C-alpha cells in the first residue's frame, strides 16, 4: 500500500471533509484526510440538544479556553472546538450559519487579497450547499422570492441544510417580531 499522497488534509471538520470530497473526485489523485478525534457515533452528536453533552466533554471537545480577559474580571471563557469527525459542526447543536459578509470583506482588506471577500467566497458556499428550500419549484409570487433566495444558496452540493424541526413559542415570537421590524 502506497504512503504517498497528492493532498494531505489535517482536520475532518466540515471544511476538511468537503475539501477531501472535492479533491478525491479526481481519480488520479490520492487524498489523505486525518482527524485527531473519534468517529461521530456518539449519540449526543445526532440530537439537537446534545451539544449540552458534547461541549466541555473531552470525548468531543478539545476543552480550549480563552486567555484571561480584563473585561471579564480576569475570567476565561470556554472555547468549544470539536474533537470528532465533523469537527465543530458535530458539537454545535446542528446549526448551520455562515460568517458575516463584512468579516470576509475585512479579511480581504487586511490580507490585500480580494479572493477572501464575500462576493468571491459566496460561490464556494453555494457550490457545497444543498438547501431544502431549493428542492422544489415555487409557483406564483413565491417564485420571485425563491429566485432571490437562490442568489445566495445552493441546491446541488453535499452539505445538506434542512429546515429546523424544533419549535418553541419564544422562537416563533422572535421571528414574528423581526418580520414586524422589516427583517424578512
Amino acid at each position: 500500500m502506497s504512503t504517498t499522497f497528492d493532498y494531505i488534509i489535517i482536520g475532518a471538520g466540515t471544511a476538511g471533509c468537503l475539501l477531501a470530497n472535492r479533491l478525491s473526485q479526481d481519480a488520479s489523485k490520492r487524498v489523505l484526510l486525518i482527524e485527531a478525534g473519534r468517529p461521530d457515533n456518539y449519540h449526543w452528536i445526532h440530537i439537537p440538544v446534545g451539544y449540552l453533552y458534547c461541549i466541555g466533554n473531552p470525548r468531543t471537545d478539545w476543552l480550549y479556553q480563552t486567555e484571561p480577559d480584563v473585561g471579564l474580571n480576569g475570567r476565561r471563557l470556554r472555547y468549544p472546538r470539536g474533537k470528532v469527525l465533523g469537527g465543530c459542526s458535530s458539537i454545535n447543536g446542528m446549526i448551520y450559519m455562515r460568517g458575516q459578509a463584512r468579516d470576509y470583506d475585512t479579511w480581504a482588506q487586511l490580507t490585500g487579497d480580494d479572493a477572501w471577500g464575500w462576493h468571491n467566497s459566496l460561490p464556494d458556499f453555494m457550490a457545497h450547499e444543498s438547501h431544502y428550500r431549493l428542492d422544489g419549484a415555487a409557483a406564483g409570487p413565491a417564485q420571485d422570492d425563491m429566485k432571490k433566495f437562490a442568489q445566495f444558496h445552493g441546491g446541488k452540493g453535499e452539505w445538506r441544510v434542512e429546515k429546523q424541526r424544533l419549535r418553541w413559542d419564544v422562537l416563533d415570537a422572535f421571528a414574528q417580531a423581526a418580520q414586524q421590524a422589516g427583517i424578512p
Side-chain angles (χ1 to χ4, degrees):
M1 182 166 157
S2 175
T3 57
T4 303
F5 298 92
D6 297 292
Y7 303 100
I8 299 174
I9 301 166
I10 309 297
T14 302
C17 288
L18 287 170
L19 181 60
N21 182 57
R22 290 293 167 106
L23 291 171
S24 66
Q25 288 176 357
D26 180 347
S28 71
K29 302 295 181 193
R30 290 181 41 89
V31 179
L32 175 64
L33 177 62
I34 298 173
E35 170 57 47
R38 296 166 69 172
D40 69 342
N41 58 3
Y42 186 45
H43 65 280
W44 289 113
I45 290 172
H46 304 282
I47 300 170
V49 77
Y51 74 93
L52 296 170
Y53 298 95
C54 294
I55 293 174
N57 180 339
R59 177 180 178 154
T60 52
D61 185 355
W62 284 102
L63 305 177
Y64 293 142
Q65 291 188 359
T66 64
E67 290 298 316
D69 190 285
V70 173
L72 297 171
N73 291 327
R75 289 180 295 138
R76 297 173 176 254
L77 297 179
R78 188 176 277 168
Y79 190 70
R81 302 282 85 195
K83 184 176 74 171
V84 61
L85 183 64
C88 297
S89 293
S90 292
I91 66 167
N92 74 351
M94 304 176 130
I95 295 171
Y96 168 70
M97 183 184 316
R98 297 179 186 164
Q100 298 295 311
R102 71 176 168 220
D103 290 338
Y104 292 88
D105 293 340
T106 299
W107 296 330
Q109 183 182 25
L110 290 172
T111 63
D113 185 351
D114 196 47
W116 286 97
W118 174 250
H119 289 291
N120 289 321
S121 300
L122 181 60
D124 295 319
F125 281 117
M126 292 174 64
H128 295 301
E129 189 178 48
S130 172
H131 201 288
Y132 77 94
R133 288 184 61 188
L134 298 175
D135 288 349
Q143 188 174 18
D144 289 337
D145 289 341
M146 200 51 58
K147 285 180 185 175
K148 289 178 187 175
F149 186 82
Q151 292 175 352
F152 298 97
H153 296 278
K156 298 188 182 341
E158 59 275 87
W159 190 344
R160 184 66 181 170
V161 178
E162 289 289 344
K163 182 177 183 176
Q164 177 181 329
R165 293 182 292 266
L166 177 68
R167 195 190 148 281
W168 289 342
D169 290 339
V170 69
L171 297 178
D172 293 341
F174 184 85
Q176 186 178 23
Q179 291 170 359
Q180 290 171 353
I183 302 169

